[in-house]
Amino acid sequence: MASLFPKPRKKLVFLASGRGSNLEAVLQAVQKGRIRGIPELLVSDNPEASAIGVGSKYGVPSKILDFSSYPQKEKYHSDLLEILDAQSPDLIVTCGYMRILKKEVIRLFPNRIINIHPSLLPAFPGLNAQKQAFEYGVKISGCTAHFIDEGVDSGPVILQGTVKITPEMTERELTLAILKEEHKILPLAVKLFCENRLSIKNRKVSIL
């Protein structure tokens, strides 16, 4: 029996720098009613990011903070903090966002920022994770949806998706296979958060 008092929808803010395919995967899930969230804002550090068009397609307003136009990079980070503070989202979702969030942002939104990373963390953190995995010669790679903490790709793991690396697979094929998994687990992680089904204890995430 459905609850007579459904939980209110969570306010969502997105950060993106590039294509926006993960952003679209989440927004599609919201549009189809799979995620009880309200996409309120997209913030991009790149005025050329295709993600801006993706947000517009789904009716999400954008705020552009052109990172390259800031002579003092600390001003960029303070402006971002001001925007996020004013927006007061329940959850921030980073979708291919290529900046490291400052500790002030992370401390303002503890366990309320979800990122998707193209490796099975803690293996291959940082940039070019697919290339790292391919060149290392691992047999299985994948992606990780995790909460952001003050380290680099070191926050509590929510979900992981795996990809088997076959001998004939190219690096590009691996990248595309991992991306398909990202499009599955990021919307699911956001869905679980919006349903209050994620619990963290001793940095271990349990799904309720």
Side-chain angles (χ1 to χ4, degrees):
M1 178 176 163
S3 171
L4 296 177
F5 304 99
K7 296 180 177 64
R9 293 181 180 273
K10 305 288 190 186
K11 297 191 296 182
L12 308 177
V13 168
F14 300 88
L15 304 180
S17 302
R19 297 186 309 270
S21 66
N22 274 307
L23 170 66
E24 183 151 31
V26 175
L27 293 178
Q28 282 180 347
V30 173
Q31 186 181 65
K32 293 177 181 178
R34 296 173 184 164
I35 294 175
R36 290 193 58 79
I38 303 172
E40 295 209 328
L41 185 67
L42 165 65
V43 183
S44 180
D45 62 322
N46 175 15
E48 304 300 321
S50 298
I52 298 168
V54 172
S56 178
K57 174 181 171 182
Y58 289 88
V60 182
S62 296
K63 179 72 176 178
I64 299 171
L65 297 179
D66 185 356
F67 188 78
S68 65
S69 71
Y70 281 82
Q72 302 296 327
K73 301 310 180 185
E74 286 303 316
K75 181 66 165 62
Y76 167 87
H77 293 289
S78 65
D79 284 354
L80 176 63
L81 178 62
E82 184 177 337
I83 289 170
L84 295 175
D85 190 17
Q87 200 70 30
S88 190
D90 295 300
L91 177 66
I92 299 169
V93 185
T94 64
C95 307
Y97 179 65
M98 302 309 291
R99 307 293 163 195
I100 295 176
L101 291 172
K102 294 295 186 180
K103 63 183 180 181
E104 290 80 7
V105 172
I106 296 165
R107 291 175 183 177
L108 185 61
F109 301 98
N111 297 325
R112 288 162 59 195
I113 310 174
I114 289 179
N115 181 52
I116 185 76
H117 182 76
S119 79
L120 295 175
L121 293 172
F124 312 119
L127 297 175
N128 302 314
Q130 306 96 320
K131 181 179 177 67
Q132 291 183 60
F134 187 79
E135 292 183 347
Y136 197 89
V138 297
K139 305 305 181 185
I140 297 176
S141 188
C143 52
T144 304
H146 66 98
F147 287 108
I148 288 182
D149 64 8
E150 293 184 35
V152 177
D153 298 322
S154 60
V157 171
I158 303 169
L159 296 167
Q160 291 183 305
T162 60
V163 172
K164 183 178 179 180
I165 302 177
T166 59
E168 68 276 6
M169 183 177 280
T170 65
E171 183 185 330
R172 174 167 172 74
E173 287 170 338
L174 173 61
T175 298
L176 293 176
I178 290 174
L179 188 61
K180 286 180 67 175
E181 291 300 313
E182 292 178 30
H183 293 167
K184 296 175 185 176
I185 70 167
L186 181 60
L188 180 53
V190 175
K191 169 185 167 65
L192 293 169
F193 181 93
C194 290
E195 293 174 354
N196 298 321
R197 293 176 59 196
L198 299 178
S199 173
I200 306 174
K201 184 177 181 180
N202 298 327
R203 71 162 284 113
K204 293 183 179 180
V205 179
S206 299
I207 299 174
L208 306 177

